[in-house]
Amino acid sequence: MTSPFRFTAPDPAGSTTGTVAAVHAQVTRDFGIESALPFVALSAAPGLMAGTWALMRESLLSGRASRTEKELVAFGVSAANRCPFCVGAHTLLLHAGGDHELAGTLARGGRPDDPDHGRLLAWGQDMRGPQPFTADEAPEFVGTALAFHFINRVVSALIDEELATGGADPAELLDSEAGHALVRAVRARPEPGLSLPLLETAGPQPAWAAGTPVGTAFGALRSAAYAGGGLLDERDATLVRESVADWDGVTPLPLSGDGLPDRAERPGARLALLAALAPYRITAEDVKAWRVEPFTDHCLVLLVAFGAMLAVERVEAGVLGVAQG
């Protein structure tokens, strides 16, 4: 069978041990999807995998805010980032939660009839606008949005979205044993904080989620992703950081065009910058130019995560600018 993974060969979930196996088990139980591809793609870097799962679990799955409303935000983020795999996943998750009409409207490219839903979707697409939720809900909504800004980039960089997106009818997918498990998981409310013991890293919590499980998870993910910057020399790391800082935090790079570091001369900087701003443009040639001995799957995953986290932080800065303005 053709692998859905680009550029890496992760171990099957059933053959893993330690942190990776523990994350897979919790994903299956609380997310309702066995061997969920974004987490399998990250499994070469266990600390990174655990941080990503913790941020998604504690923001999207746990907490008190409406799961439907958080799924709308995640859908908006994924649409803005041109991630068809994630757009399809959130459509399916809305169906699993019983929001069939809303899911169908979004799948057809429409806007929600409910004005509150429309504002949440719009905010997910451009987080520089007014926040359509209360300050108490910010850890869940901002955490969900930033989790998927990160996950979208991982998926576009490391997963073959055409192979992974089967185009099957949601009703057929949900009318199966696996579909029933997904429905049960979506309609449950997992206890907050249970992902935190899986974390292998730690870092400062963001102001918008300080003192919450979401804040702990975000700090851990950021710390794990920063490790990828160590794979670049100082000159290339500075170029990537400055280029992402100059980005507006919203507009994806076009599907083609110049302005990127040369593949032959600065392949690591090119890969990290693509992961941040246009992961769907990463090619086998880009990876081949950088991935020479001693670089491994572990290294590639970390480098992609470094670029993705810089983009997340740039988006986060726009959110904080609105909150402080």
Side-chain angles (χ1 to χ4, degrees):
M1 178 181 292
T2 303
S3 170
F5 301 103
R6 304 171 73 206
F7 318 129
T8 66
D11 292 332
S15 66
T16 58
T17 60
T19 296
V20 173
V23 172
H24 279 311
Q26 205 171 84
V27 169
T28 300
R29 184 192 71 202
D30 292 345
F31 194 36
I33 299 176
E34 187 174 356
S35 300
L37 294 182
F39 302 106
V40 178
L42 291 169
S43 61
L48 189 63
M49 179 193 187
T52 305
W53 163 243
L55 180 58
M56 192 193 82
R57 182 193 186 276
E58 302 305 331
S59 57
L60 177 66
L61 309 188
S62 296
R64 293 177 292 180
S66 161
R67 175 70 182 264
T68 295
E69 292 180 350
K70 290 186 284 188
E71 287 290 351
L72 277 165
V73 166
F75 183 100
V77 169
S78 300
N81 286 332
R82 299 174 177 167
C83 183
F85 174 87
C86 293
V87 165
H90 293 298
T91 304
L92 179 62
L93 290 166
L94 284 167
H95 275 293
D99 296 300
H100 304 296
E101 184 175 348
L102 176 59
T105 296
L106 295 176
R108 294 189 294 272
R111 309 292 295 186
D113 292 331
D114 184 314
D116 290 337
H117 285 174
R119 283 188 284 270
L120 287 162
L121 177 64
W123 183 79
Q125 292 170 317
D126 184 348
M127 294 165 61
R128 298 173 298 181
Q131 297 176 0
F133 44 82
T134 67
D136 288 344
E137 294 174 321
E140 293 179 51
F141 282 103
V142 176
T144 292
L146 296 182
F148 283 96
H149 270 291
F150 186 84
I151 291 169
N152 289 166
R153 287 168 168 81
V154 168
V155 167
S156 293
L158 300 177
I159 294 175
D160 187 322
E161 296 188 78
E162 290 189 9
L163 285 176
T165 306
D169 178 57
E172 294 181 7
L173 289 173
L174 296 176
D175 188 21
S176 65
E177 184 176 346
H180 296 162
L182 179 61
V183 169
R184 289 193 297 271
V186 169
R187 300 184 186 188
R189 188 66 61 114
E191 180 182 344
L194 296 186
S195 66
L196 303 187
L198 302 176
L199 297 174
E200 294 189 347
T201 52
Q205 297 189 23
W208 49 267
T212 71
V214 175
T216 300
F218 186 86
L221 175 57
R222 178 163 49 190
S223 176
Y226 275 4
L231 297 166
L232 302 175
D233 62 30
E234 184 176 351
R235 174 171 168 260
D236 280 354
T238 298
L239 171 67
V240 176
R241 289 184 184 277
E242 291 179 348
S243 297
V244 177
D246 288 340
W247 175 51
D248 67 4
V250 176
T251 309
L253 288 186
L255 296 175
S256 61
D258 297 323
L260 291 165
D262 183 78
R263 180 185 295 134
E265 296 181 2
R266 306 179 77 173
R270 179 184 177 90
L271 261 180
L273 194 54
L274 281 170
L277 304 183
Y280 39 80
R281 284 180 54 180
I282 294 175
T283 66
E285 289 75 20
D286 292 321
V287 174
K288 183 179 179 180
W290 174 77
R291 188 172 165 169
V292 295
E293 293 291 341
F295 294 145
T296 61
D297 282 4
H298 173 79
C299 299
L300 178 60
V301 169
L302 283 179
L303 187 62
V304 166
F306 174 65
M309 180 50 67
L310 293 181
V312 167
E313 290 183 313
R314 179 64 186 89
V315 173
E316 181 194 25
V319 174
L320 293 177
V322 172
Q324 295 167 358

